[in-house]
Coordinates of all heavy atoms in Angstrom, one line a residue:
M1 N 127.4 180.2 116.4 CA 126.9 179.0 115.8 C 125.5 179.2 115.2 O 124.7 179.9 115.8 CB 126.9 177.9 116.9 CG 126.5 176.5 116.3 SD 126.7 175.3 117.5 CE 125.4 175.7 118.7
L2 N 125.3 178.6 114.1 CA 124.0 178.7 113.4 C 122.9 178.1 114.3 O 123.0 177.0 114.8 CB 124.1 178.0 112.1 CG 122.8 178.0 111.2 CD1 122.6 179.4 110.7 CD2 123.0 177.0 110.0
D3 N 121.8 178.8 114.4 CA 120.6 178.3 115.2 C 119.8 177.4 114.3 O 119.2 177.8 113.4 CB 119.8 179.5 115.6 CG 118.9 179.3 116.8 OD1 119.1 178.2 117.4 OD2 118.0 180.1 117.0
L4 N 119.9 176.1 114.6 CA 119.1 175.1 113.8 C 117.7 175.0 114.4 O 117.5 174.2 115.3 CB 119.8 173.8 113.7 CG 121.2 173.7 113.1 CD1 121.8 172.4 113.3 CD2 121.1 174.1 111.6
R5 N 116.8 175.8 113.9 CA 115.4 175.8 114.6 C 114.6 174.6 114.1 O 114.8 174.1 113.0 CB 114.7 177.1 114.2 CG 115.5 178.3 114.8 CD 114.8 179.6 114.6 NE 115.7 180.7 115.1 CZ 115.6 181.9 114.8 NH1 114.6 182.4 114.1 NH2 116.4 182.8 115.3
P6 N 113.7 174.1 115.0 CA 113.0 172.8 114.7 C 111.9 172.9 113.7 O 111.4 171.8 113.4 CB 112.5 172.5 116.1 CG 112.3 173.8 116.8 CD 113.4 174.7 116.3
G7 N 111.4 174.0 113.3 CA 110.3 174.0 112.4 C 110.2 175.3 111.6 O 110.9 176.3 111.8
C8 N 109.2 175.3 110.7 CA 108.9 176.4 109.8 C 108.2 177.5 110.6 O 107.2 177.2 111.3 CB 108.1 176.0 108.6 SG 107.6 177.3 107.6
E9 N 108.7 178.7 110.5 CA 108.0 179.8 111.2 C 106.6 180.2 110.6 O 105.9 180.9 111.3 CB 108.9 181.1 111.0 CG 109.6 181.5 112.3 CD 110.4 182.8 112.2 OE1 109.8 183.8 112.1 OE2 111.6 182.7 112.2
C10 N 106.4 179.7 109.4 CA 105.1 180.0 108.8 C 104.1 178.9 109.1 O 103.0 179.1 109.7 CB 105.3 180.2 107.3 SG 103.9 180.6 106.4
C11 N 104.3 177.6 108.6 CA 103.3 176.6 108.7 C 103.6 175.6 109.9 O 102.9 174.7 110.2 CB 103.3 175.8 107.4 SG 104.8 174.9 107.1
D12 N 104.8 175.8 110.6 CA 105.1 175.1 111.8 C 105.4 173.6 111.5 O 105.4 172.8 112.4 CB 104.1 175.2 112.9 CG 104.6 174.8 114.3 OD1 105.8 174.9 114.5 OD2 103.8 174.3 115.1
R13 N 105.7 173.3 110.2 CA 106.0 171.9 110.0 C 107.5 171.6 110.5 O 108.3 172.5 110.6 CB 105.9 171.6 108.5 CG 107.2 171.8 107.7 CD 107.1 171.2 106.3 NE 105.9 171.8 105.6 CZ 105.6 171.6 104.3 NH1 106.3 170.8 103.6 NH2 104.6 172.2 103.8
D14 N 107.7 170.4 110.8 CA 109.0 170.0 111.4 C 110.1 170.1 110.3 O 109.9 169.7 109.2 CB 109.0 168.6 111.9 CG 108.1 168.4 113.2 OD1 107.9 169.5 113.8 OD2 107.7 167.3 113.5
L15 N 111.2 170.7 110.7 CA 112.4 170.8 109.9 C 113.6 170.3 110.7 O 114.3 171.1 111.3 CB 112.6 172.2 109.4 CG 111.6 172.8 108.5 CD1 111.8 174.3 108.3 CD2 111.6 172.1 107.1
P16 N 113.8 169.0 110.7 CA 114.9 168.4 111.4 C 116.2 168.9 110.9 O 116.3 169.4 109.8 CB 114.7 166.9 111.3 CG 113.8 166.7 110.1 CD 113.0 167.9 110.0
P17 N 117.3 168.8 111.7 CA 118.6 169.4 111.3 C 119.1 168.8 109.9 O 119.9 169.5 109.3 CB 119.6 169.0 112.4 CG 118.7 168.4 113.5 CD 117.3 168.2 113.0
D18 N 118.6 167.6 109.6 CA 119.1 167.1 108.3 C 118.1 167.3 107.2 O 118.2 166.7 106.1 CB 119.4 165.6 108.5 CG 118.2 164.8 108.8 OD1 117.1 165.4 109.1 OD2 118.3 163.5 108.8
S19 N 117.1 168.1 107.4 CA 116.1 168.4 106.3 C 116.7 169.2 105.2 O 117.3 170.3 105.4 CB 114.9 169.1 106.9 OG 114.1 169.5 105.9
P20 N 116.5 168.7 104.0 CA 117.0 169.5 102.8 C 116.0 170.6 102.5 O 116.3 171.4 101.6 CB 117.1 168.4 101.7 CG 116.1 167.4 102.1 CD 116.0 167.4 103.6
D21 N 114.9 170.6 103.1 CA 113.8 171.6 102.8 C 113.8 172.8 103.7 O 113.0 173.7 103.6 CB 112.4 170.9 102.9 CG 112.3 169.9 101.8 OD1 112.8 170.0 100.7 OD2 111.6 168.8 102.1
A22 N 114.8 172.9 104.6 CA 114.9 174.1 105.5 C 115.6 175.2 104.8 O 116.6 175.1 104.2 CB 115.6 173.8 106.8
M23 N 115.0 176.4 104.8 CA 115.6 177.6 104.2 C 115.7 178.7 105.3 O 114.8 178.8 106.2 CB 114.6 178.2 103.1 CG 114.2 177.2 102.1 SD 115.5 176.9 100.8 CE 115.4 178.3 99.9
I24 N 116.8 179.4 105.3 CA 117.1 180.5 106.3 C 117.5 181.8 105.7 O 118.0 181.8 104.6 CB 118.2 180.0 107.3 CG1 119.5 179.7 106.6 CG2 117.7 178.8 108.1 CD1 120.7 179.6 107.5
C25 N 117.3 182.9 106.4 CA 117.8 184.2 106.1 C 119.0 184.4 106.9 O 119.5 183.6 107.7 CB 116.7 185.3 106.3 SG 116.6 185.7 108.0
T26 N 119.6 185.6 106.7 CA 120.8 185.9 107.4 C 120.7 186.0 108.9 O 121.6 185.9 109.7 CB 121.5 187.2 106.9 OG1 122.7 187.4 107.4 CG2 120.6 188.4 107.2
Y27 N 119.4 186.2 109.4 CA 119.1 186.2 110.8 C 118.6 184.8 111.3 O 118.1 184.7 112.5 CB 118.1 187.3 111.2 CG 118.6 188.6 110.9 CD1 118.2 189.4 109.8 CD2 119.6 189.2 111.8 CE1 118.7 190.7 109.6 CE2 120.1 190.5 111.5 CZ 119.6 191.2 110.5 OH 120.1 192.5 110.2
E28 N 118.7 183.8 110.5 CA 118.3 182.5 110.9 C 116.8 182.3 111.0 O 116.4 181.3 111.7 CB 119.1 182.0 112.1 CG 120.6 182.1 112.0 CD 121.3 182.0 113.3 OE1 120.8 182.4 114.3 OE2 122.4 181.5 113.3
C29 N 116.0 183.2 110.5 CA 114.6 183.0 110.4 C 114.5 181.7 109.5 O 115.2 181.6 108.5 CB 113.9 184.1 109.7 SG 114.2 185.7 110.4
T30 N 113.7 180.8 109.9 CA 113.7 179.4 109.3 C 112.3 179.1 108.7 O 111.3 179.3 109.3 CB 114.1 178.4 110.4 OG1 115.3 178.8 110.9 CG2 114.2 177.0 109.8
W31 N 112.4 178.7 107.5 CA 111.1 178.4 106.7 C 111.3 177.1 105.9 O 112.4 176.7 105.6 CB 110.9 179.5 105.7 CG 111.1 180.9 106.3 CD1 112.2 181.6 106.3 CD2 110.1 181.7 107.0 NE1 112.1 182.8 106.9 CE2 110.8 182.9 107.4 CE3 108.8 181.5 107.4 CZ2 110.1 183.9 108.1 CZ3 108.2 182.5 108.1 CH2 108.8 183.7 108.4
C32 N 110.1 176.5 105.6 CA 110.2 175.3 104.7 C 110.2 175.8 103.2 O 109.8 176.9 102.9 CB 109.1 174.3 105.0 SG 107.5 174.9 104.4
R33 N 110.6 174.9 102.4 CA 110.8 175.3 101.0 C 109.4 175.6 100.3 O 109.3 176.5 99.5 CB 111.4 174.1 100.2 CG 112.1 174.5 98.9 CD 112.9 173.3 98.4 NE 114.1 173.1 99.1 CZ 115.3 173.6 98.7 NH1 115.3 174.4 97.7 NH2 116.4 173.3 99.4
D34 N 108.3 174.9 100.8 CA 107.0 175.1 100.2 C 106.6 176.6 100.5 O 106.0 177.2 99.7 CB 106.0 174.2 100.9 CG 106.0 172.8 100.2 OD1 106.7 172.7 99.1 OD2 105.4 171.9 100.7
C35 N 106.8 177.0 101.8 CA 106.4 178.4 102.1 C 107.2 179.4 101.4 O 106.7 180.4 100.9 CB 106.5 178.6 103.6 SG 105.2 177.7 104.6
V36 N 108.5 179.1 101.3 CA 109.4 180.0 100.6 C 108.9 180.2 99.1 O 108.9 181.3 98.6 CB 110.9 179.6 100.6 CG1 111.7 180.4 99.7 CG2 111.4 179.7 102.1
D37 N 108.6 179.1 98.5 CA 108.2 179.1 97.1 C 106.8 179.7 96.9 O 106.6 180.5 96.0 CB 108.3 177.7 96.4 CG 109.7 177.2 96.2 OD1 110.6 178.1 96.3 OD2 109.9 176.0 96.0
N38 N 105.9 179.3 97.7 CA 104.5 179.6 97.4 C 103.9 180.7 98.2 O 102.9 181.3 97.8 CB 103.6 178.3 97.7 CG 104.1 177.2 96.9 OD1 104.4 177.3 95.7 ND2 104.2 176.0 97.5
V39 N 104.5 181.0 99.4 CA 103.9 182.1 100.2 C 104.8 183.3 100.3 O 104.4 184.4 100.2 CB 103.7 181.5 101.7 CG1 103.0 182.6 102.5 CG2 102.8 180.3 101.6
L40 N 106.1 183.0 100.6 CA 107.1 184.1 100.8 C 107.7 184.6 99.5 O 108.3 185.7 99.5 CB 108.2 183.6 101.8 CG 107.7 183.0 103.1 CD1 108.8 182.5 103.9 CD2 106.8 183.9 103.9
H41 N 107.7 183.8 98.5 CA 108.3 184.1 97.2 C 109.8 184.6 97.3 O 110.2 185.5 96.8 CB 107.5 185.2 96.5 CG 106.1 184.8 96.3 ND1 105.7 183.7 95.5 CD2 104.9 185.3 96.9 CE1 104.3 183.6 95.6 NE2 103.9 184.5 96.4
G42 N 110.5 183.8 98.2 CA 111.9 183.9 98.3 C 112.4 185.1 99.2 O 113.6 185.3 99.3
V43 N 111.5 185.8 99.8 CA 111.9 186.9 100.7 C 111.5 186.7 102.1 O 110.3 186.3 102.3 CB 111.3 188.3 100.2 CG1 111.7 189.4 101.1 CG2 111.7 188.5 98.7
C44 N 112.4 186.9 103.0 CA 112.0 186.7 104.5 C 111.1 187.8 104.9 O 111.5 189.0 104.8 CB 113.3 186.7 105.3 SG 112.9 186.6 107.1
P45 N 109.9 187.5 105.4 CA 109.0 188.5 105.8 C 109.4 189.3 107.1 O 108.8 190.3 107.4 CB 107.6 187.8 106.0 CG 108.1 186.4 106.3 CD 109.4 186.1 105.6
N46 N 110.3 188.7 107.8 CA 110.7 189.3 109.1 C 111.7 190.4 108.8 O 111.7 191.5 109.4 CB 111.4 188.3 110.0 CG 110.3 187.3 110.5 OD1 109.1 187.6 110.5 ND2 110.8 186.1 110.9
C47 N 112.7 190.2 107.9 CA 113.8 191.2 107.7 C 113.9 191.7 106.3 O 114.7 192.6 106.0 CB 115.1 190.5 108.2 SG 115.6 189.2 107.1
G48 N 113.2 191.1 105.3 CA 113.2 191.5 104.0 C 114.4 191.0 103.2 O 114.6 191.3 102.0
G49 N 115.2 190.1 103.8 CA 116.4 189.5 103.2 C 116.1 188.3 102.3 O 114.9 187.8 102.4
N50 N 117.0 187.8 101.6 CA 116.8 186.6 100.8 C 117.0 185.4 101.6 O 117.5 185.4 102.7 CB 117.7 186.6 99.6 CG 119.2 186.4 99.9 OD1 119.6 186.9 101.0 ND2 119.9 185.7 99.1
L51 N 116.6 184.3 101.1 CA 116.6 183.0 101.8 C 117.4 182.0 101.0 O 117.4 181.9 99.8 CB 115.1 182.5 101.9 CG 114.3 183.4 102.8 CD1 112.8 183.2 102.5 CD2 114.6 183.2 104.2
Q52 N 118.2 181.2 101.7 CA 119.0 180.2 101.2 C 118.8 178.8 101.9 O 118.4 178.8 103.0 CB 120.5 180.6 101.4 CG 120.9 181.8 100.6 CD 121.2 181.6 99.2 OE1 121.7 180.6 98.8 NE2 120.6 182.5 98.3
P53 N 119.1 177.7 101.2 CA 119.0 176.4 101.9 C 119.9 176.4 103.1 O 121.0 176.9 103.1 CB 119.5 175.4 100.8 CG 119.4 176.1 99.5 CD 119.5 177.6 99.8
R54 N 119.4 175.8 104.2 CA 120.1 175.8 105.4 C 121.2 174.7 105.3 O 120.9 173.5 104.9 CB 119.2 175.5 106.6 CG 119.9 175.5 108.0 CD 118.9 175.3 109.1 NE 118.3 174.0 109.1 CZ 117.3 173.6 109.9 NH1 116.7 174.5 110.7 NH2 116.8 172.4 109.8
P55 N 122.4 175.0 105.7 CA 123.5 174.0 105.6 C 123.2 172.9 106.6 O 122.6 173.1 107.7 CB 124.7 174.7 106.0 CG 124.4 176.1 106.0 CD 123.0 176.3 106.1
I56 N 123.5 171.6 106.3 CA 123.2 170.5 107.1 C 124.4 170.2 108.0 O 125.6 170.0 107.5 CB 122.8 169.3 106.3 CG1 121.5 169.5 105.7 CG2 122.8 168.0 107.2 CD1 121.0 168.5 104.7
R57 N 124.2 170.2 109.3 CA 125.3 170.0 110.3 C 125.5 168.5 110.4 O 124.6 167.7 110.6 CB 124.9 170.5 111.7 CG 126.1 170.5 112.7 CD 125.7 171.3 113.9 NE 125.4 172.7 113.6 CZ 124.8 173.5 114.4 NH1 124.5 173.2 115.6 NH2 124.6 174.8 114.0
P58 N 126.8 168.0 110.2 CA 127.1 166.6 110.3 C 126.6 166.0 111.6 O 126.7 166.6 112.6 CB 128.6 166.5 110.1 CG 129.0 167.8 109.4 CD 128.0 168.8 109.9
A59 N 126.1 164.8 111.5 CA 125.5 164.1 112.7 C 126.5 164.1 113.9 O 126.0 164.3 115.0 CB 125.0 162.7 112.3
E60 N 127.7 163.8 113.6 CA 128.7 163.7 114.8 C 128.8 165.1 115.5 O 129.1 165.1 116.7 CB 130.0 163.1 114.3 CG 130.8 164.0 113.4 CD 130.6 163.7 111.9 OE1 129.5 163.2 111.6 OE2 131.4 164.0 111.1
L61 N 128.6 166.2 114.8 CA 128.7 167.5 115.4 C 127.4 167.9 116.1 O 127.5 168.6 117.1 CB 129.1 168.6 114.4 CG 130.4 168.4 113.7 CD1 130.6 169.5 112.6 CD2 131.5 168.4 114.7
L62 N 126.3 167.3 115.7 CA 125.1 167.5 116.4 C 125.1 167.0 117.8 O 124.4 167.5 118.7 CB 123.9 166.9 115.7 CG 123.4 167.7 114.5 CD1 122.4 166.8 113.7 CD2 122.7 169.0 114.9
A63 N 126.0 166.0 118.1 CA 126.1 165.4 119.4 C 126.6 166.5 120.4 O 126.2 166.6 121.5 CB 127.0 164.2 119.4
T64 N 127.6 167.3 119.9 CA 128.2 168.3 120.8 C 127.6 169.7 120.6 O 127.6 170.5 121.5 CB 129.7 168.4 120.6 OG1 130.0 168.4 119.2 CG2 130.4 167.2 121.2
N65 N 127.0 169.9 119.4 CA 126.4 171.2 119.1 C 125.0 170.9 118.6 O 124.7 171.0 117.5 CB 127.1 172.0 118.0 CG 128.6 172.3 118.5 OD1 129.5 171.9 117.8 ND2 128.8 172.9 119.6
P66 N 124.1 170.6 119.6 CA 122.7 170.2 119.1 C 121.9 171.3 118.5 O 122.2 172.5 118.7 CB 122.1 169.7 120.4 CG 122.9 170.3 121.5 CD 124.2 170.6 121.0
A67 N 120.9 170.9 117.8 CA 120.0 171.8 117.2 C 119.1 172.4 118.2 O 118.9 171.9 119.3 CB 119.1 171.1 116.1
S68 N 118.6 173.6 117.9 CA 117.7 174.3 118.8 C 116.4 173.6 119.0 O 115.9 172.9 118.0 CB 117.4 175.7 118.2 OG 116.3 176.3 118.9
T69 N 115.8 173.6 120.1 CA 114.5 173.0 120.3 C 113.4 174.1 120.5 O 112.3 173.8 120.7 CB 114.5 172.1 121.6 OG1 114.9 172.8 122.7 CG2 115.4 170.9 121.4
Q70 N 113.8 175.3 120.4 CA 112.9 176.4 120.6 C 112.1 176.8 119.3 O 112.7 177.2 118.4 CB 113.6 177.7 121.1 CG 112.6 178.7 121.6 CD 113.2 179.7 122.6 OE1 114.4 179.7 122.8 NE2 112.4 180.6 123.1
R71 N 110.8 176.5 119.3 CA 110.0 176.7 118.2 C 109.6 178.2 118.0 O 109.2 178.8 119.0 CB 108.7 175.8 118.3 CG 108.3 175.2 117.0 CD 107.3 174.1 117.4 NE 107.9 172.8 117.1 CZ 108.0 172.2 115.9 NH1 107.5 172.8 114.9 NH2 108.6 171.1 115.8
V72 N 109.8 178.7 116.8 CA 109.4 180.1 116.5 C 108.4 180.0 115.5 O 108.6 179.4 114.4 CB 110.7 180.9 116.0 CG1 110.2 182.3 115.7 CG2 111.8 180.9 117.0
V73 N 107.2 180.6 115.7 CA 106.1 180.6 114.7 C 105.5 182.0 114.7 O 105.2 182.6 115.7 CB 105.0 179.6 115.0 CG1 104.0 179.6 113.9 CG2 105.6 178.2 115.2
R74 N 105.4 182.6 113.5 CA 104.8 183.9 113.3 C 103.3 183.8 113.6 O 102.6 182.8 113.2 CB 105.0 184.4 111.9 CG 106.2 185.2 111.7 CD 106.4 185.5 110.3 NE 105.4 186.5 109.8 CZ 105.7 187.8 109.6 NH1 106.8 188.2 109.9 NH2 104.8 188.6 109.1
E75 N 102.7 184.8 114.2 CA 101.3 184.8 114.4 C 100.5 184.9 113.1 O 99.5 184.2 112.9 CB 100.9 186.0 115.3 CG 99.5 185.8 116.0 CD 99.3 186.8 117.1 OE1 100.3 187.1 117.7 OE2 98.2 187.2 117.2
H76 N 101.0 185.7 112.2 CA 100.4 185.8 110.9 C 101.4 185.6 109.8 O 102.4 186.3 109.8 CB 99.8 187.2 110.7 CG 98.7 187.5 111.7 ND1 97.5 186.9 111.7 CD2 98.7 188.4 112.7 CE1 96.8 187.4 112.7 NE2 97.5 188.3 113.4
C77 N 101.2 184.6 109.0 CA 102.2 184.4 108.0 C 101.6 185.0 106.7 O 100.5 184.9 106.4 CB 102.3 182.9 107.7 SG 103.6 182.5 106.6
P78 N 102.5 185.8 106.0 CA 101.9 186.6 104.9 C 101.4 185.7 103.8 O 101.9 184.6 103.7 CB 103.1 187.4 104.4 CG 104.3 186.7 104.9 CD 103.9 186.0 106.2
Ligands
ZN1 ZN1 106.3 176.2 106.0
ZN2 ZN1 114.8 187.1 108.3

């Protein structure tokens, strides 16, 4: 199951499961759209892969498959 992380790994802004601004790589590294556009330039700094908008999990499924609450933040964001 996709790990729906609660915030951007770069600026730590909140990215709730229904946020259209969450972007992920194939390893589920999670970033906000601002950082992807202005800081990361479309490339995940952890793995070098590309970033795509995170699919939104329907609310009724979040009840049984809740989003992750574990915040991941990089010490240095490029
Ligand atoms: Zn960010
Ligand atoms: Zn990555």
Side-chain angles (χ1 to χ4, degrees):
M1 182 173 70
L2 184 70
D3 199 16
L4 297 172
R5 297 183 186 165
C8 173
E9 251 183 71
C10 182
C11 67
D12 199 29
R13 92 172 54 176
D14 289 341
L15 293 171
D18 62 351
S19 171
D21 294 326
M23 306 282 285
I24 56 169
C25 77
T26 188
Y27 294 107
E28 304 163 329
C29 309
T30 303
W31 316 92
C32 72
R33 202 173 286 267
D34 279 350
C35 289
V36 170
D37 287 346
N38 302 317
V39 184
L40 311 176
H41 305 293
V43 178
C44 177
N46 293 337
C47 67
N50 69 325
L51 296 160
Q52 292 285 316
R54 186 174 68 187
I56 291 173
R57 186 169 304 165
E60 66 268 25
L61 296 178
L62 280 171
T64 45
N65 301 124
S68 168
T69 54
Q70 189 158 7
R71 220 163 251 278
V72 180
V73 183
R74 268 173 74 98
E75 200 168 325
H76 299 289
C77 187

